[in-house]
Amino acid sequence: MFLFQFVNYYSSLVYVAFFKGRFYGYPAEMKYNIFNYRLEQCDPAGCMMELVIQLAIIMVGKQVLNNFMEIALPALKNCLARKFKRGDKENCELARWEQDYLLQPNPLLGFFNEYLEMVIQYGFVTLFVAAFPLAPLFALINNVMEIRIDAYKYTVAYRRPFHARAQDIGTWLPILRGVSVLAVIFNALVIAYTSDFVQKLVHVYGYSENHSLDGYINNSLSVFATKDFPPDVAPDYNTITVNTELNATEFCRYRGYRYPAGDPNQYTVTLQNWHVLAAQLAFVVIFEHVVFFIAWLIAIIIPDVPRKVHEQMVRENKLAKEVLYTAELKERKQERSNSETQSEIKSF
């Protein structure tokens, strides 16, 4: 169930962040076309803004819809139940237990949906937080509202739930750990590949004369000659009615690190492209190792069980063993006394 919801909510975000616009060469390259249709491209500014908008809409929209359904749906069902189940007592006041019986029964899956909602929200907060830093704030606001909504739901809209004892949250703990590991990897990839952070660092420290971002836009755009368009994809200037002053354009710019038109190696990737790729891979590896090391160090410094609690647990185990030992010793003494008594009786 979680796997289905994971794919349902995060597939579009993963596509925008890591796949959209990646299978693209230069404007006249046809090998990345499917049925003569060019694959979808990102905005000229990159896919980062599109990822932010997509994440905000899905996360906030899901929270608003879920909160509305948790309030409106049980209230509507209770209203219909009171209307159709009162029968002959329409003009009589129902007893308290009858009113409670007409409330909605607890979901068959218990708290599964509540755990699922929280884990999905945890994924939104952690997996793409580098792209949308406001996600934790929206999650906090939603959780404050969720507390009051759940209080209304379990005290007014639902019947009293049956209590059940549980040692921990069960299988949700390894799921949360898995999401946390994926969050480190996803954020490293978002910073390295989706954003322009690494490309700007390469430009500043490798290709800028004054070690600044001056000329970065011009450096990150390659030159393409419009005369190199294949006949079947070249623009038909006879049908263009807007911006006709651009019909005589001989060159255009596109994102990428390729040799310009007229160069002996035109439209092939430059050395800077491999420098950027190597820097991106290095950033991902270093980022992951640093974050995992910090997490491991925190886990060592801050144990799962506090020292005082651990000492108390050891003391309780020791007392329990002493009680068992005393009871067993008493039982053995009683058995020995009984056997000696029987032996004396037989001797007489």
Side-chain angles (χ1 to χ4, degrees):
M1 185 67 175
F2 170 75
L3 222 26
F4 173 79
Q5 295 289 347
F6 185 91
V7 174
N8 187 34
Y9 283 109
Y10 302 137
S11 58
S12 62
L13 300 175
V14 171
Y15 167 72
V16 173
F18 307 129
F19 295 99
K20 186 177 181 181
R22 301 297 173 187
F23 307 101
Y24 176 75
Y26 59 95
E29 197 169 18
M30 299 294 295
K31 66 179 181 179
Y32 296 110
N33 291 6
I34 299 179
F35 301 113
N36 292 328
Y37 289 98
R38 183 175 295 276
L39 296 178
E40 188 178 16
Q41 302 299 316
C42 294
D43 185 82
C47 292
M48 194 68 171
M49 184 54 63
E50 187 173 349
L51 176 62
V52 172
I53 296 173
Q54 186 93 341
L55 178 59
I57 291 175
I58 294 178
M59 179 181 178
V60 178
K62 173 184 176 296
Q63 292 175 350
V64 172
L65 180 61
N66 285 350
N67 291 338
F68 175 77
M69 294 299 294
E70 288 185 4
I71 295 176
L73 196 59
L76 179 61
K77 290 182 177 179
N78 289 334
C79 181
L80 295 176
R82 288 193 298 267
K83 181 177 180 180
F84 293 106
K85 293 184 179 181
R86 290 183 66 167
D88 298 335
K89 295 185 177 182
E90 185 175 356
N91 298 324
C92 302
E93 184 67 26
L94 295 178
R96 179 73 260 177
W97 68 269
E98 291 179 300
Q99 297 178 23
D100 292 342
Y101 178 75
L102 294 178
L103 296 178
Q104 291 300 305
N106 286 279
L108 296 177
L109 296 177
F111 291 105
F112 176 82
N113 291 327
E114 300 292 337
Y115 278 117
L116 180 62
E117 181 181 356
M118 289 295 102
V119 173
I120 292 295
Q121 183 192 83
Y122 178 74
F124 281 124
V125 171
T126 57
L127 291 177
F128 299 98
V129 67
F132 188 46
L134 288 178
L137 176 62
F138 285 107
L140 175 62
I141 296 174
N142 174 75
N143 289 341
V144 172
M145 298 175 59
E146 188 76 20
I147 293 174
R148 305 314 309 165
I149 291 173
D150 286 345
Y152 163 81
K153 186 170 62 176
Y154 286 106
T155 58
V156 177
Y158 283 170
R159 300 173 188 171
R160 180 182 297 177
F162 293 102
H163 64 276
R165 182 175 298 178
Q167 182 178 0
D168 49 34
I169 62 175
T171 189
W172 294 107
L173 183 58
I175 289 177
L176 288 172
R177 289 175 177 170
V179 173
S180 300
V181 173
L182 282 179
V184 177
I185 300 173
F186 276 26
N187 282 285
L189 293 175
V190 166
I191 297 174
Y193 290 95
T194 309
S195 71
D196 294 336
F197 177 74
V198 176
Q199 290 93 318
K200 290 180 179 179
L201 288 181
V202 172
H203 174 78
V204 169
Y205 294 104
Y207 293 88
S208 176
E209 296 180 356
N210 54 359
H211 298 291
S212 67
L213 289 176
D214 293 343
Y216 167 72
I217 298 297
N218 184 64
N219 177 259
S220 63
L221 297 177
S222 299
V223 179
F224 176 76
T226 56
K227 64 181 178 59
D228 293 331
F229 271 122
D232 53 343
V233 298
D236 186 3
Y237 297 112
N238 296 325
T239 60
I240 297 178
T241 58
V242 294
N243 296 329
T244 55
E245 66 277 4
L246 300 178
N247 291 353
T249 301
E250 297 181 358
F251 298 96
C252 62
R253 308 296 295 271
Y254 63 96
R255 290 175 63 92
Y257 299 98
R258 292 175 177 269
Y259 288 104
D263 191 272
N265 300 317
Q266 66 174 6
Y267 306 141
T268 59
V269 294
T270 63
L271 184 61
Q272 185 176 358
N273 178 79
W274 303 111
H275 289 167
V276 170
L277 181 60
Q280 289 172 333
L281 293 175
F283 176 85
V284 171
V285 173
I286 295 173
F287 181 87
E288 290 177 358
H289 281 71
V290 169
V291 173
F292 286 138
F293 173 76
I294 293 175
W296 172 81
L297 187 63
I298 293 175
I300 295 298
I301 296 175
I302 305 175
D304 295 336
V305 181
R307 183 175 59 85
K308 292 184 178 180
V309 177
H310 178 72
E311 293 176 353
Q312 186 68 20
M313 292 172 62
V314 172
R315 181 175 178 274
E316 290 180 357
N317 291 333
K318 181 181 179 182
L319 292 176
K321 290 180 179 180
E322 290 180 354
V323 170
L324 291 175
Y325 175 76
T326 304
E328 186 177 356
L329 183 61
K330 185 177 181 182
E331 183 179 356
R332 293 291 178 85
K333 288 181 178 181
Q334 185 67 30
E335 290 177 356
R336 182 180 301 177
S337 176
N338 293 339
S339 62
E340 291 177 355
T341 303
Q342 291 178 1
S343 299
E344 292 177 358
I345 294 174
K346 289 182 181 180
S347 62
F348 283 113

